Amino acid sequence: MFKLNSLISAPRILWRIRLPLKSELLKSTYTSSLGTSSFTKTDKINSRNISALKVKYNSGILELDHRTLARLADSSATGKFNDTNILVTVVNKPRLSSASFLPLTVDYLHKASAAGKIPTNFLRRDLGASNYEILVSRMIDRSIRPLFSSNYNNEIQVVCNLLSYDGKDNPDVLCINTASFALFGSSCEWNGPIGCVRIGMIGDNLVVNPSRKQLENSPLNIVLSVGPNRNIVMIEGWADNLEQSKFIEALEFGCEHAYQVVEQIRSKKLEKENQFVKKDSSLLSITSEDEVLNGSQVNLTEISTPVLSSDPKENQEIENLFQALAYSHLYDIFTDYEHDKLSRDNAITQVKNSVINAIQKSKTDPEQSNTNAYAYSTLNELFYKFVRKVVRNLALEESKRVDGRKLNELRPISCKSNLYPSLHGSGLFQRGQTQVLCSVTFDSPDSMYRSDAIANMMSPSLTNFNKNFMLHYEFPSFATNEISRIGGRADRREVGHGALAEKAIYPLIPSQFPLTIRCLCEVLESNGSSSMASVCASSLALLDAGVPIKEQVAGVAMGIFTQFDDNKEIKDYKILSDISGFEDYMGDMDFKIAGTNDGITAVQADFKINGLPFRIIKEVIEESKNARQEILRLMKKEISKPRQSKKSNQPILKNYPVSVVQRSKLIGVGGMNLKKIYAKTGVTVNPVDETNFSIFAPNQDSLNEAEEMIKAFIEQQREPELEFGGIYKAKIVEIVPSGLMVQLYPTMKPTLLPNSQLDGNKVGFIVGYN
């Protein structure tokens, strides 16, 4: 039996709470009454901890404050731009086990109350994250993740909560700047700060942080983040087929203004320790079962997060073993250009298993108990670091890529269109082992994407307003030979890749195209750059469907391998065109660029290092133009113009004029006639104004059948000429006390046949019969 002070128990682990002594309780009560508690004496602490800054722009003033709200979090910051306010909190928790990645979670929340609205769903509550919230969360993540220390693996959560929204300015840039301020004042090992701006274009002039109204007429919308050494750490945006020189000029312009935020944040000396949280390690300790019996304990404050290895000599010793046992085998694998994605991965795994087994056997001596073998997880992690080093040296020193291509060479490309004639449009784009099938579907204007009032007001993005073009991206597990759940809502990656591809295509869709267009891009094989392959496949499918896009568009992913000197400055680098998945994993950058022969439509840049200077970014963009033009040349060999002849199954949208007199006859009582047309032919007929109807038919045959029904409904039947004294058959429609109501022809109004005109003898008849 354990004593009372061991109240909470678990297998092999006990949480022990030490009850305070009576004297300690009296002292605590006395000091609290004097106002010395850390929670009661907030005014003095606030005066020490709060640091504020302001950055002025033509469009408004950026204001950032530290630890004014949510003070129990590891760090928090509030941001304000005009009348839009944001709260960002950072929580940093040590992990009790090492990890090979940074478990960073970023969530952006925009609630209806921030815009003075009530949610329109049944529960009237803010429910799951919208697409715009997901896209902003990804943008913040990509801005801050590269600046964390490489061996830092604490569990970190960054929550950006929109407090108020004025409907004029975009909250995403404010979120990134506020998150930078909160992380800079946190205990995280973060090599920030960063600054972020949005660049638009009004006329020929570049504008910093334009308003939503200004962006409506801007051919450019770029968000970029800059680190403390003026390196660009994140780029996201789209352009209306903007010239490449103008785009590069906008990036340089944005770097200068974003760095102003960095300078302002660095000038503030923020306290890393949160003084609003009282720490007393004597009250809570973690103890093993044996230590409870021995009377010893370990304080929680003494527990540090495990890292891969704390001994550099040990890591170097392991690397020397890999160099001796694995280098030659890895070099042979990476210079054997017959390997594909799966065979290369299998070969690397075989080398890893044999080398690790050999090291563990050599380091384990059963006769010596003090000789410990290296942990498998440590060897596994260091092995892949060694693989990364071999691949990078191969490119940096010998300009060789693992698939045998030159640094600026594309993978083999094949294009096909009209694969399935029953579809409105289809295109298949194959680049290396990345394969994407795009199908185009037309529908009526009523099927366009319509966002509710709250989302439209709070989501200034191409993905959130009423639009007649949608692109959806799907990445099933079989594309990488894996098993997972199929179906359901798109995950964050699918939402992000689909939004990027949609931005690349949207500027080229005719604004007056009458139908709603949906492109469904299904990744059937994936070995890198599937989002840019989706752009190419969509371009092929749209031309096959007959959509008169302004120009063909293609996308390519650019990568880079860098080498640093002792001052952590880039001393050598190699730019790679059309990177594969393996090169993306081993490299330092994934820069996706989509556009036409001469212009750019969408960009997205992710970095694994602390960003790249502008001069290298400019070189990457210029290099991508050659790759883009080569891809477009191959695509135009398959299809270069929109299909001129319509497919037999292509839907038709037609305007049908109807006179005011005939309008009620076509609609029918309660729209009955329109419902009959839809039920029988599948054709939708909707009134446009008093004299015009819109007809949407799935094909020509359905349209012809519907038009026949419409003519039958509105046809004016001529009244027959009746002769005096003639004998006619009449239809009895009603019996009244004074006689019978009869019709001589269908369109005739019922007429009274009085009793005086009827035979005096008894006559049998049935109402409704002749």
Side-chain angles (χ1 to χ4, degrees):
M1 294 292 292
F2 296 107
K3 294 184 180 180
L4 184 60
N5 60 353
S6 299
L7 295 178
I8 306 175
S9 62
R12 301 293 300 171
I13 295 293
L14 293 176
W15 293 89
R16 187 171 64 190
I17 300 177
R18 184 180 66 84
L19 299 177
L21 300 177
K22 183 177 179 180
S23 59
E24 294 175 342
L25 289 174
L26 293 174
K27 182 180 179 181
S28 175
T29 304
Y30 176 72
T31 55
S32 297
S33 64
L34 294 179
T36 58
S37 171
S38 61
F39 288 92
T40 58
K41 197 176 179 182
T42 56
D43 293 339
K44 185 175 181 180
I45 293 178
N46 284 346
S47 64
R48 291 199 314 266
N49 285 346
I50 294 179
S51 298
L53 63 86
K54 293 184 179 181
V55 181
K56 293 184 179 180
Y57 297 103
N58 292 333
S59 56
I61 300 177
L62 171 66
E63 301 180 35
L64 300 176
D65 287 340
H66 188 237
R67 286 202 180 105
T68 57
L69 300 174
R71 294 172 298 180
L72 294 184
D74 182 70
S75 179
S76 64
T78 54
K80 180 181 179 183
F81 191 81
N82 294 333
D83 289 328
T84 298
N85 291 269
I86 194 81
L87 168 66
V88 176
T89 57
V90 178
V91 177
N92 177 23
K93 293 293 184 182
R95 293 171 59 91
L96 298 181
S97 61
S98 60
S100 59
F101 64 96
L102 176 67
L104 170 66
T105 303
V106 179
D107 293 300
Y108 166 71
L109 309 173
H110 66 210
K111 299 179 180 178
S113 59
K117 300 288 185 180
I118 296 177
T120 56
N121 57 67
F122 178 77
L123 298 176
R124 299 298 188 267
R125 295 178 63 92
D126 296 292
L127 301 179
S130 64
N131 283 357
Y132 179 71
E133 289 175 294
I134 292 174
L135 295 176
V136 173
S137 300
R138 285 171 54 87
M139 196 186 305
I140 300 169
D141 186 300
R142 299 200 328 268
S143 297
I144 64 178
R145 186 180 289 270
L147 296 177
F148 282 94
S149 300
S150 58
N151 290 329
Y152 192 66
N153 55 10
N154 279 15
E155 188 171 3
I156 303 168
Q157 184 178 34
V158 178
V159 178
C160 304
N161 189 4
L162 186 64
L163 301 178
S164 66
Y165 182 59
D166 59 4
K168 299 177 182 178
D169 302 294
N170 300 321
D172 46 6
V173 173
L174 178 60
C175 287
I176 297 175
N177 287 321
T178 310
S180 171
F181 198 53
L183 284 168
F184 186 69
S186 71
S187 59
C188 300
E189 294 182 13
W190 191 64
N191 302 317
I194 61 172
C196 180
V197 294
R198 170 179 267 104
I199 302 299
M201 181 177 288
I202 307 301
D204 293 332
N205 299 321
L206 296 173
V207 180
V208 180
N209 294 332
S211 64
R212 288 185 63 199
K213 190 170 184 62
Q214 290 176 317
L215 282 176
E216 291 178 359
N217 301 317
S218 172
L220 178 68
N221 185 354
I222 305 175
V223 177
L224 73 156
S225 301
V226 175
N229 51 1
R230 293 183 179 268
N231 285 356
I232 297 176
V233 297
M234 192 280 298
I235 305 174
E236 173 86 27
W238 64 274
D240 189 1
N241 199 18
L242 190 68
E243 293 181 8
Q244 185 165 290
S245 58
K246 287 282 186 182
F247 187 85
I248 295 174
E249 180 184 348
L251 289 180
E252 185 176 15
F253 178 77
C255 287
E256 295 300 323
H257 288 83
Y259 191 69
Q260 295 177 12
V261 181
V262 176
E263 291 180 323
Q264 289 288 335
I265 296 177
R266 293 176 71 176
S267 66
K268 301 297 178 181
K269 295 183 179 180
L270 305 181
E271 297 187 12
K272 305 292 184 179
E273 291 295 331
N274 189 351
Q275 297 187 16
F276 294 97
V277 179
K278 182 178 180 181
K279 297 180 180 180
D280 189 353
S281 60
S282 63
L283 295 180
L284 183 62
S285 61
I286 183 170
T287 310
S288 68
E289 188 173 322
D290 294 334
E291 289 169 341
V292 169
L293 299 177
N294 297 332
S296 60
Q297 65 181 24
V298 180
N299 289 332
L300 277 175
T301 54
E302 298 175 359
I303 299 178
S304 59
T305 303
V307 294
L308 190 60
S309 176
S310 58
D311 186 2
K313 293 182 179 180
E314 180 180 337
N315 289 351
Q316 185 61 45
E317 181 183 353
I318 296 174
E319 184 175 338
N320 293 338
L321 291 173
F322 287 149
Q323 182 74 26
L325 299 176
Y327 177 78
S328 60
H329 299 288
L330 292 175
Y331 187 88
D332 292 340
I333 293 173
F334 297 143
T335 54
D336 182 0
Y337 306 134
E338 298 298 323
H339 278 302
D340 62 5
K341 175 183 178 179
L342 296 179
S343 64
R344 184 183 300 110
D345 290 345
N346 291 334
I348 294 173
T349 302
Q350 291 177 3
V351 173
K352 180 197 71 173
N353 292 337
S354 62
V355 171
I356 289 180
N357 290 337
I359 293 176
Q360 287 185 322
K361 288 180 180 179
S362 64
K363 299 298 292 185
T364 303
D365 188 354
E367 297 180 357
Q368 298 180 7
S369 58
N370 59 350
T371 303
N372 297 323
Y374 296 123
Y376 180 86
S377 59
T378 301
L379 293 174
N380 183 74
E381 188 65 26
L382 290 176
F383 177 81
Y384 281 107
K385 284 191 173 184
F386 181 75
V387 170
R388 187 171 183 265
K389 182 179 179 181
V390 174
V391 173
R392 296 166 66 86
N393 288 341
L394 199 64
L396 289 167
E397 298 174 3
E398 303 181 28
S399 297
K400 291 182 179 180
R401 302 172 70 169
V402 294
D403 52 9
R405 288 182 290 154
K406 298 178 181 178
L407 297 180
N408 61 349
E409 186 179 352
L410 302 175
R411 288 174 287 178
I413 294 175
S414 64
C415 308
K416 294 182 181 179
S417 61
N418 196 25
L419 279 80
Y420 305 103
S422 59
L423 297 177
H424 299 158
S426 58
L428 181 69
F429 184 81
Q430 178 95 37
R431 178 162 49 194
Q433 287 185 295
T434 297
Q435 184 185 73
V436 177
L437 172 66
C438 177
S439 58
V440 172
T441 305
F442 293 132
D443 209 333
S444 66
D446 293 336
S447 300
M448 73 167 56
Y449 177 86
R450 302 179 189 274
S451 60
D452 58 70
I454 298 175
N456 194 29
M457 178 181 179
M458 302 178 67
S459 307
S461 167
L462 276 178
T463 58
N464 285 275
F465 59 84
N466 299 344
K467 58 186 179 181
N468 67 337
F469 174 73
M470 298 165 283
L471 190 149
H472 295 151
Y473 170 96
E474 292 184 356
F475 192 94
S477 56
F478 60 78
T480 53
N481 195 33
E482 295 177 356
I483 299 174
S484 69
R485 180 180 59 87
I486 298 293
R489 181 175 177 177
D491 59 24
R492 284 192 171 200
R493 181 180 178 276
E494 290 177 317
V495 171
H497 282 54
L500 175 62
E502 182 177 295
K503 291 174 184 177
I505 298 289
Y506 187 84
L508 303 175
I509 301 294
S511 58
Q512 301 301 322
F513 194 77
L515 300 175
T516 299
I517 309 170
R518 179 181 184 246
C519 290
L520 176 61
C521 296
E522 299 175 85
V523 181
L524 306 181
E525 301 174 11
S526 178
N527 188 19
S529 189
S530 58
S531 60
M532 293 296 95
S534 299
V535 173
C536 301
S538 299
S539 182
L540 296 171
L542 287 169
L543 291 178
D544 178 54
V547 180
I549 58 177
K550 300 172 186 177
E551 288 187 64
Q552 274 191 299
V553 59
V556 65
M558 307 293 291
I560 194 170
F561 288 146
T562 57
Q563 191 173 19
F564 292 84
D565 57 20
D566 296 336
N567 297 324
K568 296 184 178 180
E569 296 292 335
I570 297 177
K571 68 176 183 179
D572 190 18
Y573 63 91
K574 297 291 184 181
I575 299 174
L576 281 66
S577 298
D578 183 25
I579 58 174
S580 63
F582 188 75
E583 291 169 332
D584 181 14
Y585 178 74
M586 297 293 173
D588 298 325
M589 176 186 72
D590 182 11
F591 196 169
K592 304 179 181 70
I593 306 174
T596 61
N597 264 318
D598 301 314
I600 290 178
T601 58
V603 295
Q604 185 182 91
D606 303 331
F607 299 94
K608 298 176 186 176
I609 55 176
N610 294 350
L612 290 176
F614 170 75
R615 60 179 179 83
I616 298 181
I617 294 291
K618 178 181 178 181
E619 187 178 347
V620 172
I621 295 175
E622 292 174 347
E623 186 71 27
S624 71
K625 184 175 182 180
N626 298 328
R628 225 168 47 240
Q629 290 177 338
E630 177 63 17
I631 297 170
L632 288 169
R633 185 184 67 82
L634 297 173
M635 291 170 59
K636 288 179 180 179
K637 285 184 177 181
E638 173 63 24
I639 183 169
S640 58
K641 296 185 298 183
R643 176 186 293 273
Q644 300 299 319
S645 59
K646 292 185 178 180
K647 293 185 177 182
S648 59
N649 64 337
Q650 186 168 330
I652 301 171
L653 184 65
K654 183 177 180 180
N655 184 65
Y656 198 94
V658 177
S659 64
V660 178
V661 179
Q662 298 170 330
R663 177 184 173 89
S664 60
K665 296 181 179 179
L666 173 57
I667 296 177
V669 179
M672 183 60 66
N673 292 342
L674 300 184
K675 294 176 183 178
K676 288 181 180 179
I677 295 173
Y678 180 77
K680 188 174 181 179
T681 65
V683 175
T684 304
V685 182
N686 293 316
V688 178
D689 52 37
E690 293 184 353
T691 59
N692 289 282
F693 282 75
S694 173
I695 302 178
F696 177 78
N699 51 60
Q700 186 65 45
D701 295 337
S702 299
L703 177 63
N704 296 337
E705 187 178 357
E707 287 183 332
E708 292 178 1
M709 294 183 67
I710 293 173
K711 291 177 181 178
F713 286 135
I714 66 176
E715 184 180 12
Q716 293 288 344
Q717 294 187 3
R718 187 170 58 88
E719 295 184 1
E721 296 180 0
L722 304 179
E723 296 180 2
F724 182 78
I727 300 175
Y728 299 96
K729 290 183 178 182
K731 181 180 181 181
I732 301 172
V733 296
E734 188 179 358
I735 300 176
V736 295
S738 58
L740 303 174
M741 302 297 294
V742 298
Q743 281 182 321
L744 298 181
Y745 50 87
T747 59
M748 174 185 174
K749 296 182 67 175
T751 303
L752 177 66
L753 181 61
N755 290 332
S756 61
Q757 301 295 324
L758 298 177
D759 195 329
N761 298 324
K762 186 176 181 180
V763 178
F765 59 83
I766 302 175
V767 176
Y769 283 80
N770 295 333

